[in-house]
Each structure stands twice: as structure tokens, then as C-alpha cells.
């Protein structure tokens, strides 16, 4: 990652006496420099980045394509790195715009325990308020929560009428659930323990197949296909494989989990230079509801298409 761009203030020695016409010439040259410098700043490309994951790349490509349609000069730095790298690049001014999740602002601000992060509207408002002081604007989020969830094998969910985490808790108490999840999901206070506390159940550890990694494609497939007796698995809400497998994702009406809705975050200075960006990206993300984002992710994760091709096809399908 390149170092942050800096613009040093131009320093000049105090003027020494010169003929009037020489001072006028210098003044004219400085005025010309100021005009050309201003024009250069206006033409500086908007640097769009994304995180390394497939959904991040998909959203990043969508943003790049929308900006180019607006005639905004763009430099793409997609799949730049994990959250820490991309966030640091934004606040340092190395990049200008990338898709982030509202829930991550809970950790940026050190307020993850605050219940505001467990409702979509209040999480978005809190993220906007926090980053306003950092010169960063949160645009409209997609109505699609990419938080931790639990999916249950379709046949079992239909037979037992399991639709919510309250239903899931009842099934756990009846010893019906064999869960496949990562060690992080099982052990992190923000994941399974948060569900257990909110819905008053304890998932017996002997009924959990614990994986060292966090690949939800594996946990979802185990739940759908009954691998090793498993009938439930951890997922992220917008996982593409959900649309391709016979599973039912348990809803979280109590709000045990922080809400993670994807939204473009952009530096205020850049938005000031290109005000058309906000309404265009607002329209784009408002249309990325949960079924739509799961379907687009499935085209990448399940069907093997590239994020760029999926983004191009999706934009082409929208009514101008």
C-alpha cells in the first residue's frame, strides 16, 4: 500500500525589493500556478477501493461502474485488503470511497456494547454521526444485513416450523440441533454466546462440529446435506450459497447481533467536488435488498462468475 498523499504548503522567502514590473510578473505567475493547481485537484481521480472478499469486490465494481457512467474520473484499487487496511487508507486520504458495513462503525468508535448497533436505522444514524467528525460521509445502506446468523436444514425447519432464533432455541432444548460453526463463532461473545443470552438457551458443546476456519460455504453445505449428522450451520446474512441450498435462515427479532448493512463511505472533500455521486449511489444501494444481494453473490460464489461480470450484468438490467 502506498503511503498517504501529502500536499505541503508552498513556502516563499520574503520579497526583496524589485522593480514593479518584476513583482507583477511573479504575481501573475503565482496566479497561474494557483489556477492550474486548482484545476489539477478538480481532475484528480476518485480512488475507489474494496475489501478482499467476494461481496466487497462485487460492490466495489458496482461503485466504479456507476461513477464512470457519471463521467467521474476513477482509479480502482479493489480487493485492497481487510477492514483495517482499507479503513486506514480512507482516513489517511489514500483512497476516497469504498463499501463498508454499518456494524463495523461500532468497533471503529469503541461502542460495540451500545444497543443502537442492533437495529438497522439506529446503527446507520450512529455510523453517520461518528464519522462526520472524521470527514467521512455514509451514503444510503443496502437493506441487506450481512451479520452472523444460523441456517437450519430445510426439511427440519419445515417439519418443526423453525423460522426465528426463538424457535431455534426451542429446538436446541429438544436436542434436535447439531450445529457446524467456526471456533470464532462458538467462542466470541458477540456470536453464539450472544444468541444464547438473548434467547435463553445453551447449545451443548458436544453437539457442535467446530471448524478452525470461518468458511460459511462449508458450514452451509454441512447443514443442507447433513454431513456428519449436522443440520444447522453458521452463515452470514448475504451469503450467496443460501440461495442455492435448501436451508432456512433463522431471523433475529430480539436483535442479538449487530447489524451489518453495506454502504458506500466517502470522504467529504470528494463528495463536495462530485455531488452527483451521492444520489447515484443512494439509488444503487437502495435496490440491493437481501434477496438481490444473495442472488448476485451466488453468481460469484456458486456459479463461478467474476464480480466484475456480475456487476456489469446487474447494472445493465436496471431501468435507466
Amino acid at each position: 500500500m502506498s503511503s498517504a498523499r501529502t500536499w505541503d504548503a508552498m513556502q516563499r522567502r520574503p520579497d526583496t525589493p524589485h522593480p514593479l514590473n518584476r513583482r507583477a510578473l511573479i504575481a501573475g505567475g503565482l496566479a497561474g500556478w494557483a489556477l492550474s493547481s486548482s484545476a489539477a485537484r478538480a481532475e484528480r481521480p476518485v480512488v475507489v477501493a474494496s475489501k478482499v472478499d467476494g461481496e466487497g469486490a462485487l460492490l466495489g465494481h458496482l461503485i466504479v461502474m456507476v461513477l464512470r457512467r457519471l463521467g467521474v474520473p476513477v482509479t480502482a484499487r479493489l480487493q485492497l485488503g481487510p477492514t483495517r487496511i482499507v479503513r486506514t487508507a480512507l482516513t489517511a486520504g489514500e483512497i476516497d470511497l469504498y463499501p463498508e458495513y454499518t456494524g463495523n462503525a461500532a468497533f471503529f468508535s469503541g461502542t460495540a456494547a451500545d444497543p443502537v448497533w442492533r437495529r438497522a436505522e439506529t446503527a446507520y444514524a450512529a455510523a453517520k454521526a461518528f464519522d462526520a467528525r472524521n470527514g467521512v460521509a455514509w451514503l444510503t445502506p443496502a437493506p441487506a444485513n450481512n451479520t452472523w446468523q444460523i441456517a437450519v436444514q430445510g426439511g427440519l425447519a419445515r417439519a418443526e416450523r423453525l423460522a426465528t432464533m426463538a424457535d431455534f432455541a426451542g429446538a436446541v432444548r429438544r436436542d434436535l440441533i447439531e450445529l457446524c460453526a467456526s471456533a470464532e463463532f462458538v467462542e466470541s461473545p458477540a456470536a453464539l454466546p450472544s444468541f444464547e443470552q438473548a434467547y435463553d438457551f445453551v447449545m451443548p458443546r458436544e453437539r457442535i462440529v467446530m471448524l478452525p476456519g470461518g468458511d460459511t460455504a462449508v458450514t452451509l453445505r454441512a447443514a443442507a446435506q447433513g454431513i456428519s449428522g449436522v443440520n444447522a450451520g453458521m452463515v452470514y446474512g448475504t451469503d450467496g450459497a443460501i440461495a442455492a441450498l435448501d436451508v432456512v435462515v433463522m431471523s433475529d427479532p430480539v436483535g442479538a447481533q449487530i447489524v451489518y448493512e453495506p454502504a458506500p463511505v466517502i470522504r467529504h472533500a470528494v463528495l463536495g467536488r462530485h455531488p452527483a455521486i451521492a444520489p447515484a449511489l443512494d439509488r444503487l444501494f437502495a435496490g440491493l435488498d437481501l434477496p438481490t444481494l444473495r442472488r448476485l453473490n451466488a453468481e460469484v460464489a456458486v456459479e463461478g462468475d467474476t464480480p466484475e461480470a456480475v456487476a456489469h450484468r446487474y447494472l445493465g438490467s436496471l431501468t435507466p
Side-chain angles (χ1 to χ4, degrees):
M1 184 175 67
S2 62
S3 61
R5 295 178 181 267
T6 59
W7 289 269
D8 294 331
M10 190 178 84
Q11 301 294 323
R12 294 192 295 123
R13 292 193 182 100
D15 288 337
T16 54
H18 292 287
L20 182 60
N21 62 342
R22 182 174 174 83
R23 290 204 303 270
L25 180 62
I26 293 173
L30 289 175
W33 178 88
L35 288 172
S36 63
S37 177
S38 176
R41 285 195 300 270
E43 291 303 316
R44 176 178 177 262
V46 175
V47 182
V48 178
S50 78
K51 302 182 192 183
V52 295
D53 60 283
E55 181 169 289
L58 170 66
L59 296 174
H61 278 294
L62 286 169
I63 290 171
V64 167
M65 291 175 188
V66 167
L67 265 59
R68 286 178 174 159
R69 287 185 178 188
L70 292 173
V72 174
V74 176
T75 295
R77 296 181 63 186
L78 303 184
Q79 295 186 290
L80 179 62
T83 298
R84 179 180 59 83
I85 295 295
V86 184
R87 170 73 181 185
T88 300
L90 180 75
T91 55
E94 292 183 350
I95 65 171
D96 300 312
L97 167 62
Y98 80 99
E100 183 53 275
Y101 294 89
T102 53
N104 276 336
F107 300 96
F108 301 155
S109 61
T111 59
D114 194 318
V116 299
W117 301 109
R118 286 163 172 77
R119 289 287 181 267
E121 299 80 5
T122 55
Y124 175 57
K128 283 183 66 175
F130 168 72
D131 259 342
R133 73 195 73 168
N134 297 315
V136 172
W138 286 74
L139 305 183
T140 296
N145 188 3
N146 194 27
T147 192
W148 264 322
Q149 293 183 290
I150 294 176
V152 174
Q153 191 177 74
L156 175 63
R158 288 187 290 273
E160 297 293 328
R161 299 184 178 181
L162 308 181
T164 72
M165 282 304 302
D167 301 331
F168 180 86
V172 169
R173 297 186 198 102
R174 299 195 302 276
D175 293 330
L176 298 178
I177 300 297
E178 296 283 344
L179 177 67
C180 184
S182 68
E184 180 187 10
F185 181 83
V186 174
E187 296 167 359
S188 170
L192 179 59
S194 180
F195 280 128
E196 291 175 320
Q197 181 178 4
Y199 293 95
D200 191 25
F201 73 97
V202 175
M203 183 71 211
R205 295 320 188 240
E206 67 273 14
R207 301 180 75 89
I208 300 176
V209 176
M210 197 181 309
L211 306 179
D215 189 348
T216 54
V218 175
T219 58
L220 262 173
R221 190 175 299 110
Q225 299 174 1
I227 298 171
S228 298
V230 165
N231 55 25
M234 74 166 198
V235 299
Y236 293 113
T238 61
D239 277 341
I242 291 172
L245 296 171
D246 183 19
V247 294
V248 177
V249 178
M250 302 290 100
S251 66
D252 177 19
V254 171
Q257 294 297 307
I258 289 174
V259 173
Y260 289 87
E261 291 186 331
V265 291
I266 182 170
R267 296 195 304 114
H268 283 156
V270 176
L271 196 56
R273 295 202 309 269
H274 302 285
I277 288 176
L281 292 184
D282 285 349
R283 288 192 297 272
L284 171 68
F285 274 70
L288 294 172
D289 59 15
L290 191 59
T292 299
L293 199 49
R294 282 180 181 171
R295 174 173 57 81
L296 297 179
N297 282 333
E299 292 176 16
V300 176
V302 179
E303 298 172 21
D305 216 339
T306 66
E308 183 176 11
V310 172
H312 186 269
R313 190 163 54 244
Y314 175 70
L315 285 182
S317 72
L318 300 179
T319 302

